[in-house]
Amino acid sequence: MLAVALLSCHKAQNTEAEIKRATLDNGLRVVVIHNPLAHVATVYLNYITGADETPSGFPGTAHAQEHMAFRGCMGVSADQTAAVFAQLGGDGDADTQQNITQYFSTVPAEDTEVALRLYAACMQHVDDQQGEWDQERGAIEQEVARDLSNPTYNFLTRLNEDLFAGTPYAHDALGTKASFDATTGTMLADFYNHWYAPNNAILVVVGDVDPDATIASIRKIYGSISRRTVPSHPGVSLQPVKAETFTLDSNLPYTLAFLAYRFPGTDSPDYAAAQILADALASQRGDLYALVPAGKALAAQFGIAENYPKASVGYALGALPAGADSASILAQMKSIIADYVKNGVPADLVEAAKRSEIAQAEFERGSIPGLAMLWSEALAAEGRQSPDEDVDAMKKVTVDDVNRIAKAYLVDTQMITATLKPRPSGAPVSARGFGGGETLTAAPTKPVELPDWAKASLNSLAVPKQETLPSDVTLANGIRLIVQTVKIAPTVTVMASIRHEPDLESPPGKDGVDDVTEQLFNYGTKSLDRIAFQKALDDIGASESGGADFSLRVLKEYFSRGVELLADNELNPAFPAEAFNVVRQQTAQFTAGNLMSPEYRAQRALDAGLYPKGDPELREATPKSVSGLSLDDVHNYYASTFRPDLTTIVVIGDVTPDEAKTTIEKYFGNWTASGAKPQTVLPAVPANHSAATNVPDSSSVQDSVDLAEELPMNRSNPDYYPLQVGNFVLGGGFYATRLYHDLRQINGYVYNVSDRLSATQTRADYTVEYGCDPANVSKARALIQRDLASMQKDNVTPEELEQAKALLLRQIPLSEASEDATASGYLRRVDVDLPLDEPFRAAQRYFNMTADEVRAAFAKWIRPEDFVQVVRGPAPK
């Protein structure tokens, strides 16, 4: 009965009163959706063009044009574009897909018109001058190098070539260095003039806005933009797939084996049935996943990728220990799929997949950016009128439909077989820190005057006020319960964390016991075995995870049953002996591969440089320590570390504090703790000394660089706040901030550069990360050190200070744009002993911050000469 009720409960995601549509005279289609989850809005401008429309031999043209929109538009320079996005909160981006190009940002609701005007300027003109492209080319080629260093990207590239040969789908939107070297500004302008037109675009706005007023603003801002003649989109003529087998090198710590098939595309009436088929095959009650508890795979799943209009990719994946032969797992996955094709997919798994998809559609409303993305994908990429069309189509899928799709598409003679084979990293090599090559003195970037239409909104700063205070109580057994009522959708999310620190809590010689314990939560409870427990979740369309961090997503009507299952898993895990033997072996095998992987070795080198010898952070699980664990070790670790008086539970959604408290007390109230609490806070450490290490990575064509140092301070130090302000002068605002301006906009050394200040009760670290060609590692570091030295010596400019404050202040409401983000924020604050409203308290500090305070904090705490530098990839030149 639960299943029948759930399949019939889905309603349209928003009422017609909340959704307004319009088509302007110039052809621009507009959808505005009112969602008052937070006082923010997300704007998506979708152009119906992408990799499909690129000229022959120039596969990255659409991607390059997307980049150029950030280098200047009609009446807005590159510096102004960056400054506007920065002062809106820094949450603006773009992406290019196969058939669409999207520009999107999430902003405070009162600033929605500023974002709309910025995108309108780019619909009128983009500065594709050769000089601008010459500067941007370096950055986009770094993006190419980054993706070519990703084994999964290389696999998908080869897969597309095999499955879609002779069609635009055979190449993605990224592009190649060779094609970018041959691309000119004139070519980009031609592409822009063909495709960037209002009658080839869909504008989606979601958030705490008035739909009618927003559409009126859009008419005013976009109505005068002239429509253009848009060329016909290229046709896609799919040829039969030829079976193919290939192996690629990988830097992952495990072997990946794939079986891939061409599946229906979004235009196909069979698309919904294909989605349900994939979900059913991926079920934890299915035969593919059963390879994991049987000890035959580290992981196994089925999924759909590359969702194009005329086709998509269905794939089965099996993960094995590094060095394992993939032939066996490929044969087993092939046999399992053949059995489903021959005998049919169980009806129960089909119905469970439908319930899950219907429930997920309700949860989409709990994120303003997520809902805007969902609508944009449905309208622009798939050609739907609403995302509800996908859900309605899946509701109509029958078992016969699923089995028909399985027979038609899961065909061995059209199957691509692939293996990603790890290549272990060479031993880390101590290295020289960096060489010179750049001037070490430079003035800060010049002040940027905002466009007139942005000044009124952005030139005045205000301290944000918290709209809603959550309920915050401590239950009798010590559980801290935080509840926030959000009546956006009939859903409830539970996110919880037990304060833990395995490096302190794991007994000597038992390293890895935390990993084994965590994985055993997937094996059911004392009353429900693994299959029965998953069946109980499937019956209510819920998703759940257990462990030191545990969670639940469930429809409101099944909240009580969902919490009952969550508590049963958390308080009464089965920890079966047979499963323990399998999980211990799998963990030891994974650990062996991980210790040899470039990513692990790079992190290990970084930790060794930051922390003193013998520090708990330097503890390391090994195959020997994991293989030596017993089931008693797991039970003892669980008993000593899983305690209610270390637990915080956040409940957010369509539930009142009283309802949540009653339910949590009912199922978690009997949980008790005994003995003294374990130590969960790491000891303070001194400042580190400089060091440099190169970690070889033969599969990478780009170097990944980490510069980090330990600061002898903690999160409660008052200098944390001026350091954060200075951090946002350096980064976080694209070209408007110093590091992006110097490393990307001016020199083109990097695609991404990020800086981060992290702090806990006892420790703090400052990190700068970037990726670049080996020849530019030292040049980029020299610029970073120059910028840091300038922060210590000279006051930041008034304009930079104001912009950094705007970034910090406007990001506060943006951090509550989804239920998950809000709940995660509460848990992070609890973990470091901060009040729940700390961001709003911090806002006043940021608002009052002076340039003198920023300079003094950088001079006191940041040591540019003491970075630990770790480079993963080819040896820097």
Side-chain angles (χ1 to χ4, degrees), residues 201-480:
I202 300 174
L203 180 60
V204 175
V205 181
V206 177
D208 193 14
V209 296
D210 179 279
D212 290 324
T214 302
I215 287 180
S217 292
I218 291 170
R219 289 188 187 279
K220 179 180 65 176
I221 296 167
Y222 289 81
S224 62
I225 302 174
S226 299
R227 68 165 54 231
R228 299 190 186 124
T229 300
V230 176
S232 298
H233 294 273
V236 176
S237 179
L238 296 169
Q239 304 301 312
V241 178
K242 297 179 181 179
E244 182 71 49
T245 298
F246 62 86
T247 299
L248 298 176
D249 288 339
S250 160
N251 58 7
L252 298 171
Y254 40 75
T255 297
L256 289 179
F258 292 90
L259 303 177
Y261 312 84
R262 185 193 288 165
F263 257 39
T266 57
D267 284 354
S268 171
D270 289 333
Y271 181 68
Q275 296 284 320
I276 297 302
L277 169 62
D279 289 349
L281 295 181
S283 170
Q284 291 194 20
R285 293 191 284 140
D287 293 341
L288 269 177
Y289 182 81
L291 294 169
V292 177
K296 298 177 180 179
L298 301 179
Q301 64 185 61
F302 197 96
I304 291 183
E306 311 297 83
N307 290 283
Y308 306 141
K310 301 301 180 185
S312 62
V313 177
Y315 66 91
L317 175 155
L320 299 172
D325 187 350
S326 63
S328 176
I329 192 68
L330 287 168
Q332 291 178 79
M333 293 194 300
K334 185 177 177 180
S335 175
I336 289 168
I337 289 173
D339 187 67
Y340 278 129
V341 171
K342 178 182 178 180
N343 299 315
V345 179
D348 186 37
L349 296 187
V350 172
E351 295 306 305
K354 292 168 66 176
R355 290 193 293 274
S356 177
E357 291 284 357
I358 291 167
Q360 180 58 33
E362 297 289 358
F363 276 100
E364 298 290 353
R365 294 160 64 183
S367 168
I368 288 174
L371 189 60
M373 180 179 69
L374 185 71
W375 272 81
S376 292
E377 293 286 337
L379 274 61
E382 299 179 8
R384 317 280 191 223
Q385 291 299 307
S386 162
D388 288 326
E389 290 185 19
D390 284 322
V391 180
D392 291 341
M394 283 188 272
K395 288 174 65 176
K396 297 174 183 176
V397 170
T398 66
V399 176
D400 288 343
D401 291 332
V402 169
N403 289 327
R404 173 176 55 81
I405 298 303
K407 291 181 183 295
Y409 291 91
L410 297 174
V411 179
D412 287 354
T413 56
Q414 298 182 26
M415 177 179 67
I416 306 298
T417 303
T419 301
L420 296 189
K421 186 177 180 180
R423 291 189 63 179
S425 164
V429 179
S430 295
R432 181 168 54 94
F434 77 103
E438 295 297 326
T439 177
L440 295 180
T441 59
T445 56
K446 62 183 182 296
V448 177
E449 184 176 357
L450 295 175
D452 290 339
W453 44 262
K455 289 179 180 178
S457 290
L458 303 184
N459 273 348
S460 60
L461 288 179
V463 176
K465 305 298 182 184
Q466 188 161 19
E467 300 286 334
T468 305
L469 289 172
S471 166
D472 183 7
V473 299
T474 300
L475 305 185
N477 60 359
I479 290 176
R480 184 173 180 180

Side-chain angles (χ1 to χ4, degrees), residues 463-606:
V463 176
K465 305 298 182 184
Q466 188 161 19
E467 300 286 334
T468 305
L469 289 172
S471 166
D472 183 7
V473 299
T474 300
L475 305 185
N477 60 359
I479 290 176
R480 184 173 180 180
L481 176 62
I482 300 166
V483 183
Q484 186 154 319
T485 303
V486 180
K487 292 187 175 294
I488 296 295
T491 60
V492 182
T493 295
V494 179
M495 299 181 71
S497 181
I498 301 169
R499 184 173 287 188
H500 58 288
E501 180 47 69
D503 288 334
L504 294 174
E505 295 172 307
S506 301
K510 304 297 181 180
D511 298 279
V513 65
D514 56 309
D515 292 330
V516 173
T517 303
E518 288 287 325
Q519 293 178 63
L520 283 171
F521 280 92
N522 295 322
Y523 286 84
T525 72
K526 293 174 182 176
S527 60
L528 296 170
D529 66 20
R530 180 181 71 82
I531 298 292
F533 186 80
Q534 187 59 49
K535 173 70 164 59
L537 291 170
D538 288 345
D539 284 345
I540 59 174
S543 60
E544 180 268 357
S545 64
D549 298 306
F550 54 101
S551 64
L552 170 72
R553 289 160 65 92
V554 66
L555 294 173
K556 174 181 172 60
E557 60 188 301
Y558 304 120
F559 174 57
S560 180
R561 175 58 173 159
V563 172
E564 181 181 15
L565 292 170
L566 178 66
D568 194 27
N569 192 20
E570 200 67 15
L571 309 189
N572 304 298
F575 293 165
E578 183 179 354
F580 166 75
N581 291 330
V582 170
V583 168
R584 179 179 58 183
Q585 179 184 28
Q586 291 171 329
T587 305
Q589 291 170 333
F590 171 81
T591 301
N594 196 41
L595 291 176
M596 299 298 292
S597 70
E599 184 175 1
Y600 177 84
R601 288 190 163 189
Q603 184 60 53
R604 185 71 179 171
L606 194 66

